[in-house]
Amino acid sequence: MKTEVVASEKVKAFDCQHFINGRFLPSQSGKMFQNINPATGEVIGTVCEGGKEEIDLAVAAAKRALSGPWKRMTTGERIAVLRRIGDLILERKEELARLESLDTGKPYSLSLTLDIPRAAYNFHFFADYLRSVGTEAYQTDEVAINYSIRRPVGVVGLINPWNLPLLLLTWKLAPCLAAGNTAVIKPAEWTPLTATVLAEICKEAGVPDGVVNVVHGFGPDSAGAALTEHPDVDAITFTGETTTGKVIMAAAAKSLKKLSYELGGKNPNIIFADADLDEAIETTLKSSFMNQGEVCLCGSRIYVERPLYEQFLQKFVAKTKELVVGDPFDPRTNVGALISEEHYERVMSYIELAKEEGGRILTGGKRPDGLDQGYYLEPTIIVGVNRNCRIVREEVFGPVVTVMPFDEEEEVIAQANDTHYGLSATIWTNDLRRAHRVAARIEAGIVWVNTWFLRDLRTPFGGMKQSGIGREGGMHSFEFYTELTNICIKL
Ligand code: ADP
């Protein structure tokens, strides 16, 4: 018990250790890296840098835990543990929201109302859902009966991004645990804080040692790669960049791991002339700039039907200028800081590229006046570009959108689908037939009509083309986190 450290105390000092087999511990190598607050550029703490040694320890613990008390728990007991994790997240809502904003630079108001409550709900939802998870049975004439049984996949590697750290981690961890698996979590290197506290919460909620493990570190040649290469890891669920997904797939191929991917997007937001303009603009502000535009579901390609184009632009630009960019802890702030200097430079380079491609910046495109420190960027609207421009084709993952006019339904569908991504789309129209017609033809895993980001956790979530593999949500999550055995009995 001596090695046990209370994570929240460590986090107050902003130092993050690994959590392996129910204990907090440093790296065997002693290596550490710095954690930077994107809102100030200041170092707020250190993080232990894990590698193959820590992944080996964590995977071994997770493998042992598969056959321990975790396996013997009844469904009712497991549901109680999951519900307790959700309750504890809510009890520590303010603390977790603060840490999330310190790590990511996102507004505290957003962490407090979206990221953390949704993280708790992920556990409450999958706890409730577990009761209804069943299997199939078939009778083969008079000859045989078939039924399936469901079992955990085994040790699952959860590789997480930095944009919605606790929300996306819990979206994976809750069904992973509900299905009886054990987990090795690799948080994004830029956002280690809330995953560290979650480990402590899991322990307090009664998750047996070894069932949930957290190893900090980087991707290539580090903890991330070691996790994807480990032969005892049975499945990997990954949310992140498409290019990273390809590297992970190659590594996972060696032991043919089961994969679930949620990758990038370059999502169209299509506004027909009959749409309710004010509603479309209110929501488009969110789908463009919420979380600094660092959401894979953001609608960064806006297409407006020509009769509405000028009016839309005028209002949209005016409303965008009203957004307050600044200190994540100021309650008036709408848009915080981008995640890191490196990412800030990347987003800025896309703005420069857009100008070279003939784009005109109607608002934004620069650091806000008076904010000299931190990675702040004004919400940016670009026009005058076309479907061949890189700014229209590539994912920027920042507060940057392009707006283009269109004349025909066919034309906008073709443009919307002219991408190797296929995550989400938004359509604004009051024409019922058109809504159904267009929605069915957009190549995306999720299409919203007259709304955005509205989620029912029972529905399939994921992307097509290079935006993902598989779906999670409701029963779809259980399809990934369980294996089926069909049992055929001759009568
Ligand atoms: P970003 O570059 O914007 O951080 P990534 O997709 O690279 O987005 O990162 C998402 C997660 O994937 C992070 O936790 C990161 O450490 C991890 N990661 C990056 N590269 C690899 C890799 N080669 N193998 C395993 N994990 C990786």
Side-chain angles (χ1 to χ4, degrees):
M1 294 300 278
K2 275 223 165 108
T3 50
E4 214 163 311
V5 182
V6 179
S8 55
E9 282 173 12
K10 294 303 285 178
V11 163
K12 270 178 213 139
F14 300 112
D15 292 328
C16 291
Q17 295 190 327
H18 313 295
F19 184 75
I20 298 174
N21 203 26
R23 307 272 179 280
F24 283 97
L25 46 100
S27 295
Q28 291 185 8
S29 66
K31 277 198 207 162
M32 316 270 265
F33 63 96
Q34 290 179 330
N35 187 10
I36 310 252
N37 176 359
T40 59
E42 286 166 2
V43 175
I44 51 171
T46 55
V47 188
C48 293
E49 183 183 338
K52 188 173 179 312
E53 294 78 11
E54 286 70 36
I55 291 291
D56 284 348
L57 284 175
V59 172
K63 198 173 172 189
R64 275 196 311 276
L66 278 173
S67 51
W70 186 232
K71 184 179 162 67
R72 293 190 292 275
M73 271 189 191
T74 63
T75 303
E77 286 165 345
R78 198 179 302 146
I79 287 172
V81 169
L82 295 174
R83 288 207 64 84
R84 180 98 185 102
I85 299 174
D87 294 347
L88 289 171
I89 291 173
L90 287 182
E91 275 176 28
R92 295 172 71 170
K93 195 168 65 173
E94 283 83 8
E95 174 198 357
L96 285 163
R98 182 173 155 268
L99 296 177
E100 204 71 308
S101 286
L102 278 173
D103 245 359
T104 58
K106 73 174 74 193
Y108 174 74
S109 58
L110 188 68
S111 300
L112 194 64
T113 55
L114 174 74
D115 296 69
I116 308 307
R118 176 57 201 284
Y121 183 61
N122 285 336
F123 278 98
H124 289 149
F125 171 81
F126 281 106
D128 292 343
Y129 198 90
L130 184 52
R131 281 270 177 230
S132 64
V133 174
T135 57
E136 309 152 276
Y138 297 100
Q139 185 162 343
T140 313
D141 300 324
E142 307 265 294
V143 183
I145 50 167
N146 291 273
Y147 66 94
S148 310
I149 54 165
R150 215 173 263 290
R151 63 181 89 199
V153 177
V155 177
V156 184
L158 288 72
I159 303 180
N160 293 282
W162 45 260
N163 60 333
L164 301 161
L166 194 66
L167 189 160
L168 290 175
L169 163 55
T170 52
W171 168 243
K172 297 172 190 301
L173 186 62
C176 173
L177 296 183
N181 299 285
T182 59
V184 178
I185 297 162
K186 213 297 279 167
E189 51 273 33
W190 287 332
T191 53
L193 296 177
T194 49
T196 309
V197 176
L198 183 67
E200 180 188 287
I201 285 177
C202 286
K203 180 154 182 138
E204 191 183 338
V207 174
D209 291 350
V211 172
V212 171
N213 305 274
V214 179
V215 179
H216 295 290
F218 298 91
D221 304 316
S222 182
L227 184 58
T228 59
E229 283 160 12
H230 201 295
D232 289 341
V233 172
D234 301 289
I236 298 272
T237 170
F238 168 72
T239 301
E241 282 185 42
T242 296
T243 45
T244 310
K246 292 179 186 177
V247 175
I248 292 178
M249 193 172 209
K254 283 178 210 146
S255 54
L256 221 61
K257 297 185 197 321
K258 208 173 171 187
L259 293 175
S260 175
Y261 273 2
E262 204 258 277
L263 306 174
K266 186 73 185 176
N267 310 304
N269 177 7
I270 304 169
I271 302 166
F272 286 97
D274 71 332
D276 182 321
L277 181 61
D278 289 336
E279 218 183 310
I281 285 179
E282 251 344 283
T283 304
T284 296
L285 283 171
K286 295 196 184 100
S287 66
S288 303
F289 306 125
M290 189 178 94
N291 206 52
Q292 302 71 244
E294 296 166 327
V295 182
C296 50
L297 301 167
C298 277
S300 52
R301 290 186 288 149
I302 304 175
Y303 299 95
V304 187
E305 203 172 5
R306 201 169 307 265
L308 194 66
Y309 183 70
E310 288 303 331
Q311 201 190 348
F312 172 87
L313 268 187
Q314 204 185 1
K315 283 197 171 186
F316 182 47
V317 170
K319 287 274 183 188
T320 299
K321 284 183 172 161
E322 287 173 14
L323 294 174
V324 178
V325 185
D327 178 2
F329 289 94
D330 184 331
R332 287 167 307 176
T333 294
N334 303 115
V335 178
L338 298 191
I339 186 73
S340 68
E341 186 171 8
E342 184 188 329
H343 187 60
Y344 181 80
E345 294 302 334
R346 187 172 169 271
V347 174
M348 287 305 274
S349 74
Y350 269 107
I351 293 172
E352 287 310 309
L353 175 72
K355 289 185 201 160
E356 286 163 26
E357 290 180 316
R360 271 190 306 123
I361 306 217
L362 295 190
T363 183
K366 59 176 180 56
R367 178 181 276 281
D369 296 335
L371 287 173
D372 300 331
Q373 269 161 4
Y375 316 123
Y376 294 102
L377 174 62
E378 287 181 354
T380 304
I381 302 174
I382 301 170
V383 293
V385 285
N386 63 52
R387 64 198 293 174
N388 299 317
C389 295
R390 282 180 56 201
I391 189 71
V392 179
R393 307 193 72 80
E394 298 177 18
E395 186 180 38
V396 177
F397 218 66
V400 180
V401 294
T402 57
V403 189
M404 292 188 275
F406 71 91
D407 295 295
E408 302 289 335
E409 188 179 302
E410 279 302 318
E411 171 203 349
V412 78
I413 293 172
Q415 290 214 37
N417 289 339
D418 184 17
T419 167
H420 62 264
Y421 291 116
L423 187 57
S424 72
T426 306
I427 301 167
W428 291 91
T429 180
N430 281 314
D431 179 336
L432 185 66
R433 294 183 192 189
R434 174 156 59 200
H436 288 292
R437 198 166 58 223
V438 177
R441 289 185 59 198
I442 299 288
E443 294 161 358
I446 304 135
V447 178
W448 279 291
V449 178
N450 297 333
T451 184
W452 178 75
F453 212 80
L454 184 60
R455 293 273 299 116
D456 181 323
L457 301 193
R458 293 169 297 186
T459 61
F461 182 86
M464 55 175 76
K465 302 204 265 187
Q466 292 190 26
S467 284
I469 297 177
R471 298 289 182 275
E472 294 191 35
M475 198 54 212
H476 307 276
S477 294
F478 285 91
E479 296 300 353
F480 176 69
Y481 291 106
T482 59
E483 287 287 8
L484 287 169
T485 300
N486 184 67
I487 297 168
C488 174
I489 301 180
K490 191 174 173 202
L491 295 174

